[in-house]
Amino acid sequence: MRVLFIHQNIPGQFRHLIAALCADPANEVWAIAGEGAARRAGASHPRLRVMPYRVPVPAPEQRTAHPWLMSLDSQLRRGQAVAEVLSRMKTSGVSPDVIVAHPSWGEALFVKDVLPATPLLAYFEFFYSAAGADVGFDPEFPGRPEDGPRLRMRNLVHLSALSACDAGFTPTRWQHARLPPEYQERVSIIHEGIDTDAVRPAPEGRFEWQGRLFRAGEPIVTYVARNLEPYRGFHVFMRSLPALLARHPTLQVLIVGGEQVSYGTPAGHPAGWKSQLVDELAGKGTPIDPERVHFLGKLGHADYVRVLQVSAAHVYLTYPFVLSWSMLEAMAAGCLVIGSDTAPVTEVLADGVNGRLVDFFDREELVSVILDVLGDPGRYRRLREAARATAIERFDLQRLCLPAGLALIRSMQVGRDAQGSGDSREVRP
């Protein structure tokens, strides 16, 4: 096959699909990406042919005045830039069999205008709304009257992609259910997959950090997020630490994540949410002990897995939003995951079956459950084993998710071939 991937930060959610397709010399794999990501991807995948695009900077008189249109303006410019790359590819005789695109940044807006006969497979990550999900969930950051209209505008690129694509896919049932009902039938539920062969328990696991050695079996609480911010419950977790540390004098805490903002409200502190919450706790007379609470920043994948492998209790809190890979990788590593009782966590984690669930906002409950887990690790061995079994049975990369994703892409090519041969049968994923 000749497959073209479009993603501003390639490979993104397509990393496993790209690697698998590149591994077969019979395939020709292309990508269109932003300039920085294109350079990195080209170095990582020698067989991936990457075409960079540059987002045109508007002249001052072209800049939109309405704040709700700022995001749409950027999406239109990205879509226009991608369409220009596609036009050059078309002129040079490069015709993909299938295009796989992430539409959230507008890059898929004009794909069908340039290549109307090429099957378009779209990845739908999140459909926004002012109720029932992230917006307005946290009383500390209340919703605003303009949220509904603003998010309606934000969904325009998703509605365009849902209308234009030949098929789509999304990672979880909850994310699928958020799509408009009239489009759900053409969207498959296929997770990106977790490499459960690489991420697995290590009973003798060790993690070294700044001259200190942490071992599996020790009372170690772990927390992981791409960035440390309220969307992933970082404020709740941090505010629970004084009571937790006071009630367990030998407990150590390992926190993995950067200090930028991925989602939601920026911190008031110029250095980000970590510094703001550290200062907040110090101002209340409950400062964080740096000998017991360790901020590891962003780690390479191997060190990150080592952190999971020494965890005695892994905390995963989230607004109702996109499910993090880290929660599923923690389950694959055999962690005792203590998750928030929010969607889509509850789609995977069942309280007392393969982990524990707590109220997102209830810090006392979180502390109590962590202490219970640390106080009797043997009692929770069954839950750890069940967590790994869930990761394997529902999210295994090599045996489940990757084959399903590749089969979906191949079905798109088969459908195109059938149309070209005069066969009018409908081919569905």
Side-chain angles (χ1 to χ4, degrees), residues 95-220:
S95 177
D97 295 313
V98 179
I99 296 174
V100 185
H102 193 315
S104 290
W105 297 277
E107 293 155 308
L109 277 169
F110 310 119
V111 167
K112 284 291 191 178
D113 296 287
V114 182
L115 297 171
T118 302
L120 173 61
L121 175 62
Y123 174 89
F124 294 103
E125 187 169 11
F126 192 71
F127 197 84
Y128 296 92
S129 70
D134 53 331
V135 174
F137 170 75
D138 190 339
E140 190 170 339
F141 309 96
R144 296 167 293 182
E146 66 269 22
D147 283 340
R150 178 178 58 83
L151 293 172
R152 189 177 299 279
M153 294 298 297
R154 196 167 182 179
N155 277 331
L156 289 180
V157 291
H158 301 290
L159 290 168
S160 174
L162 285 163
S163 175
C165 74
D166 297 276
F169 65 117
T170 193
T172 67
R173 293 193 294 271
W174 182 74
Q175 284 160 279
H176 184 268
R178 297 194 56 73
L179 298 171
E182 61 267 31
Y183 294 112
Q184 290 178 11
E185 185 180 356
R186 73 170 72 171
V187 179
S188 301
I189 301 171
I190 302 175
H191 194 271
E192 300 93 328
I194 300 300
D195 189 346
T196 63
D197 296 327
V199 183
R200 57 188 308 116
E204 305 300 323
R206 297 154 65 94
F207 172 69
E208 294 186 45
W209 174 256
Q210 296 184 343
R212 298 190 63 163
L213 181 63
F214 302 90
R215 298 180 178 86
E218 296 174 350
I220 298 170

Side-chain angles (χ1 to χ4, degrees), residues 13 24 35 81 166 171 184 187 212 250 295 308:
Q13 292 87 350
D24 185 346
E35 290 179 305
D166 297 276
Q184 290 178 11
V187 179
R212 298 190 63 163
T250 64
F295 293 97
L308 297 179

Side-chain angles (χ1 to χ4, degrees), residues 336-419:
L336 194 291
V337 176
I338 301 169
S340 55
D341 191 6
T342 52
V345 176
T346 52
E347 186 176 319
V348 180
L349 207 64
D351 190 40
V353 177
N354 57 0
R356 293 297 314 272
L357 292 172
V358 296
D359 186 295
F360 179 94
F361 301 104
D362 192 334
R363 300 199 300 271
E364 180 54 39
E365 182 186 17
L366 176 60
V367 169
S368 177
V369 171
I370 292 172
L371 292 173
D372 187 55
V373 169
L374 297 180
D376 191 0
R379 185 160 58 92
Y380 285 94
R381 185 176 297 111
R382 176 181 57 82
L383 272 64
R384 291 173 175 270
E385 293 169 351
R388 176 161 172 80
T390 299
I392 292 172
E393 291 164 8
R394 294 178 55 186
F395 302 99
D396 183 85
L397 173 66
Q398 297 297 338
R399 288 167 284 273
L400 182 64
C401 297
L402 183 57
L406 293 173
L408 179 57
I409 292 174
R410 291 191 186 102
S411 76
M412 305 288 286
Q413 182 194 27
V414 169
R416 185 190 194 193
D417 292 346
Q419 288 179 342

